[in-house]
Amino acid sequence: FFLSLKLGNKTEGKHQKQICQIVLDHFEKQYTTELGDTWTRIRDILTHPLCWQYAVLLNKFSQSAELENTLRVKGYYPAFQENLPYLPSSFQCYISRTPGRFPAQKHQAGRLKEYFLLNAASLLPVLALEVKDGEDVLDLCAAPGGKSVAILQCASPGNFHCNESDVLRSRWLKQTIESFIPDAFINLIMFSTLDGRQIGDLKPESYDKVLVDAPCSSDRSWLFSSDTLQATLRLVQRKELPSLQFQLLRSAIKALRPGGSLVYSTCTLSKAENSNVINLILNSCSNVTPVDISEMAKAVSREFTFLGGMQQHELLVLPEKGRAWGPMYIAKLKKI
């Protein structure tokens, strides 16, 4: 069932218009307790899709000056500025303060897509990972592929392993990457359908960087569950997600080389799946240490709203009017 839970900002836009009251009531109770008055503002964004915004990530393998001109004419501007600790020149993303969505590109055989539409907050885990040319990288829960595509916009890994345990979602992942990445680069990517909890034992100390974009109770999509029975089942199963997330992180740590780093991300506001999971890892794994990512937060604070009171190794993006990005939790750890 965990596989069916991996939704989130990855599938936004495919929402139903009808809000699922069971989910909203559940969130209302939990998030009022955890976030107080802040939840009211977040709820107003999450329950009104017409307020949602979409970023346009340009594809460096299919560059178009005409596209950039069109974006600027429509009021789009670069989401990330040069003051970021890590921002490769090849990584270009445009956003607009106006709600709405730039037209999606249809797949054309033999032709790469020029851009990827996504929640801008989903790019922060990639920027926090700081992938450099030649590094061996694992995307542990990679489908449908947005973050994998973004990693390849940043650098050319030595080995790039994209894993997705669900076979159907793995096909989706490969199709996504094939739409954006030239064949010469795709041939260097290893695709697998392994259980992410086992990769650490199967490939110990094999990677310099690991991204764990974990299955989570994704707030945006769950609020628009069209099937009440499915929504009820999700809320019951939600309690088991932190255990899965912890096991995925333990596996990722095993897969990391000493000195390597990992980024953990979710698209939920839930403290149980975010800070609590990271705190449990830090308390139980003596070979990892937190990495300060507060400078990255400062550098993007004009475009993103973050929850206050977080520790320096973690961020939680909160959607608000005009900056309707997130929810997105990000934490960074290093293996010692």
Side-chain angles (χ1 to χ4, degrees), residues 37-330:
D37 292 340
T38 302
W39 162 243
T40 305
R41 299 196 302 273
I42 296 170
R43 181 191 61 205
D44 288 346
I45 297 297
L46 294 183
T47 56
H48 292 88
L50 292 178
C51 296
W52 296 2
Q53 295 159 264
Y54 295 85
V56 183
L57 177 66
L58 304 192
N59 185 7
K60 71 177 184 181
F61 300 107
S62 181
Q63 290 181 322
S64 167
E66 183 181 349
L67 171 61
E68 290 190 60
N69 290 335
T70 300
L71 287 167
R72 291 181 186 275
V73 167
K74 289 182 176 291
Y76 283 78
Y77 57 94
F80 305 106
Q81 306 299 326
E82 293 177 0
N83 59 341
L84 267 166
Y86 170 84
L87 185 66
S89 58
S90 57
F91 188 86
Q92 296 187 67
C93 176
Y94 282 80
I95 59 173
S96 168
R97 284 286 173 95
T98 308
R101 186 172 187 160
F102 197 72
Q105 275 189 314
K106 293 182 179 179
H107 175 72
Q108 291 180 288
R111 184 173 177 181
L112 297 178
K113 292 185 178 180
E114 296 177 344
Y115 57 90
F116 198 113
L117 301 179
L118 74 182
N119 186 321
S122 67
L123 297 173
L124 294 178
V126 173
L127 293 174
L129 195 60
E130 299 189 13
V131 175
K132 297 176 176 63
D133 289 347
E135 289 183 326
D136 296 327
V137 181
L138 167 64
D139 190 348
L140 191 68
C141 313
K147 291 181 179 67
S148 297
V149 169
I151 286 170
L152 291 166
Q153 301 303 315
C154 293
S156 299
N159 294 298
F160 191 23
H161 181 178
C162 293
N163 182 71
E164 174 53 53
S165 58
D166 181 86
V167 174
L168 289 176
R169 287 175 59 81
S170 182
R171 287 181 197 157
W172 184 13
L173 164 69
K174 194 167 185 184
Q175 287 173 357
T176 299
I177 291 179
E178 287 173 347
S179 294
F180 289 91
I181 309 301
D183 290 343
F185 283 87
I186 291 176
N187 293 337
L188 302 175
I189 299 172
M190 175 184 171
F191 294 94
S192 68
T193 53
L194 300 168
D195 184 331
R197 294 168 290 188
Q198 299 173 356
I199 284 183
D201 291 325
L202 295 171
K203 291 185 166 289
E205 298 189 356
S206 299
Y207 304 98
D208 302 297
K209 302 282 170 67
V210 178
L211 176 64
V212 185
D213 185 40
C216 67
S217 54
S218 71
D219 301 344
R220 285 199 191 219
S221 61
W222 280 28
L223 278 168
F224 292 92
S225 300
S226 57
D227 185 331
T228 304
L229 286 175
Q230 182 190 50
T232 305
L233 181 62
R234 280 174 170 170
L235 293 175
V236 172
Q237 296 168 341
R238 189 180 199 205
K239 297 173 184 175
E240 301 183 46
L241 280 168
S243 174
L244 170 65
Q245 292 155 347
F246 176 79
Q247 292 174 65
L248 289 169
L249 276 169
R250 286 288 299 265
S251 176
I253 291 165
K254 289 180 182 178
L256 267 180
R257 295 178 180 131
S261 56
L262 72 83
V263 168
Y264 172 76
S265 62
T266 73
C267 48
T268 180
L269 298 162
S270 178
K271 190 175 181 182
E273 299 177 47
N274 295 339
S275 297
N276 290 3
V277 172
I278 291 297
N279 289 338
L280 186 59
I281 282 287
L282 289 171
N283 290 331
S284 61
C285 299
S286 59
N287 61 341
V288 289
T289 184
V291 178
D292 187 346
I293 54 174
S294 59
E295 286 302 313
M296 183 180 79
K298 288 177 190 172
V300 299
S301 59
R302 280 186 57 196
E303 305 301 341
F304 297 89
T305 301
F306 297 100
L307 179 66
M310 303 288 281
Q311 299 181 79
Q312 289 185 319
H313 61 273
E314 58 178 357
L315 305 170
L316 179 59
V317 181
L318 306 177
E320 68 171 29
K321 192 172 182 180
R323 301 193 289 187
W325 313 116
M328 179 62 60
Y329 176 81
I330 304 128

